[in-house]
Amino acid sequence: MTHFLDINATDAGDLRAIIDSAKAMKAARGGRPKGAPDDTLPLDGRMVALIFEKPSTRTRISFDVGVRQMGGQTMVLSGADMQLGHGETIADTARVLSRYVDLIMIRTFEEQTLLEMAEYADVPVINGLTNRTHPCQIMADIQTFEEHRGPIAGKKVTWCGDGNNVFASFAHAAGQFGFDLTFAGPPTLDPEMVFVEEARAKGVKVEITRDPVAAVTGADLVVTDTWVSMHDPQSARERRHNQLRPYQVNAALMAHAKPNALFMHCLPAHRDDEATSEVMDGPASVIFDEAENRLHAQKAIMRHCLGV
């Protein structure tokens, strides 16, 4: 069974093949209307279940459109539509869904929900996001960087802010794609060290610093993410703002990166919090290319999982 659960759980050669496939499928569309099907329909006759315990804009639309472009059909299910882990065990849900669909994408809270779904499903499972990791986003980010600047191997990527699930997948990617990674943020929001140590064990440099200027100096790519989650209480939001304000990505900070450095944010953004509009709309920003590439990268991931 070929699941896509995390970047570190997928062979490095397969990851490179996925990126190359995403680039090729994007190029093949060459100006065709957004909703038009691909020339080949590798998912013709396939049904894909898209499960959302967490709300979503980009993940839902990009997976839905991607399946349709490749000739398949989708069944979009929310937490309210299912008894996932409540009225029915996740294992039983996985077994039942496997009788109906060819592929499952799940965007959920707990990593264990994803792992149990994959363990008991008889069809491939894709991690659309958990509280710990967000691998589909980082595959799109790698594609985006390489479209603009060539191979990411050997480059310096700097993360400013919270050591969250998106950073975790960047750490996985650093080890698999061979780029260096620097985290700049407050110690209270450090990433899990298991992600850092695993990347270091693969021979790449992963640094943690409290100095955003030092972190960004010489960077090829500067990345940030929202400071607060939609589920954070107001008190937590205020604390996070106070802690993270020194790590805002603004023009003064970007000036310390390489002259041709790129800026990324996975969106949605709270403009003028984690990054200023001047940076987000500036010449270094590729945030909307990044958002589009969720579509192409995920199409390639689905084809990889189904072997088509």
Side-chain angles (χ1 to χ4, degrees):
M1 190 66 60
T2 304
H3 300 303
F4 187 78
L5 304 183
D6 273 315
I7 288 173
N8 68 330
T10 303
D11 179 79
D14 288 338
L15 293 170
R16 173 49 57 191
I18 290 169
I19 296 291
D20 291 344
S21 173
K23 293 176 183 177
M25 284 190 288
K26 182 177 181 179
R29 290 193 63 79
R32 143 182 0 197
K34 296 294 186 289
D38 293 352
D39 290 330
T40 60
L41 300 175
L43 266 60
D44 187 29
R46 307 282 187 134
M47 177 64 72
V48 178
L50 306 177
I51 301 173
F52 293 94
E53 281 200 297
K54 278 191 171 185
S56 167
T57 298
R58 275 149 295 278
T59 300
R60 175 169 178 164
I61 296 171
S62 56
F63 267 107
D64 200 347
V65 171
V67 172
R68 292 167 188 256
Q69 285 182 352
M70 294 191 293
Q73 298 184 65
T74 59
M75 177 183 298
V76 180
L77 302 165
S78 71
D81 297 322
M82 307 180 69
Q83 303 178 65
L84 194 62
H86 301 293
E88 180 175 65
T89 67
I90 295 164
D92 285 352
T93 298
R95 293 182 180 108
V96 169
L97 279 176
S98 297
R99 301 297 180 101
Y100 301 142
V101 305
D102 301 283
L103 178 68
I104 298 167
M105 188 289 302
I106 182 167
R107 180 181 174 96
T108 187
F109 293 92
E110 299 303 323
E111 181 183 53
Q112 187 56 40
T113 302
L114 167 76
L115 297 178
E116 192 169 347
M117 181 71 71
E119 180 180 357
Y120 290 97
D122 293 325
V123 298
V125 174
I126 294 173
N127 176 1
L129 175 142
T130 70
N131 286 346
R132 288 195 84 205
T133 59
H134 196 1
C136 290
Q137 178 64 58
I138 275 50
M139 292 297 284
D141 292 354
I142 301 296
Q143 179 187 350
T144 305
F145 182 89
E146 295 195 343
E147 283 177 348
H148 288 269
R149 297 291 184 263
I152 198 168
K155 302 298 185 181
K156 177 181 176 179
V157 176
T158 295
W159 177 277
C160 292
D162 177 12
N164 63 10
N165 53 353
V166 184
F167 175 84
S169 287
F170 255 114
H172 285 162
Q176 295 289 63
F177 287 95
F179 59 86
D180 295 332
L181 182 62
T182 298
F183 170 84
T188 51
L189 296 174
D190 272 352
E192 292 184 46
M193 285 306 296
V194 64
F195 300 126
V196 173
E197 295 299 342
E198 182 179 355
R200 287 173 175 167
K202 293 183 178 180
V204 298
K205 183 189 296 183
V206 183
E207 298 181 321
I208 294 177
T209 180
R210 310 305 167 202
D211 183 347
V213 171
V216 167
T217 298
D220 298 281
L221 171 62
V222 179
V223 191
T224 191
D225 194 6
T226 180
W227 290 347
V228 296
S229 167
M230 67 185 75
H231 304 289
D232 288 336
Q234 185 60 37
S235 58
R237 290 170 183 245
E238 292 172 2
R239 284 197 304 274
R240 280 174 168 265
H241 274 80
N242 291 334
Q243 294 175 77
L244 288 165
R245 195 165 287 111
Y247 301 95
Q248 181 192 69
V249 181
N250 50 42
L253 186 62
M254 285 295 297
H256 294 279
K258 287 183 178 177
N260 67 341
L262 298 178
F263 169 75
M264 290 188 189
H265 187 308
C266 67
L267 304 179
H270 294 86
R271 284 174 174 261
D272 300 311
D273 279 353
E274 65 268 16
T276 62
S277 290
E278 182 181 11
V279 170
M280 293 181 66
D281 298 327
S285 177
V286 290
I287 59 175
F288 297 113
D289 291 344
E290 186 185 0
E292 178 190 343
N293 283 338
R294 287 289 300 276
L295 170 66
H296 309 297
Q298 289 162 185
K299 286 167 68 174
I301 290 166
M302 288 187 280
R303 293 188 68 170
H304 166 72
C305 289
L306 290 169
V308 295

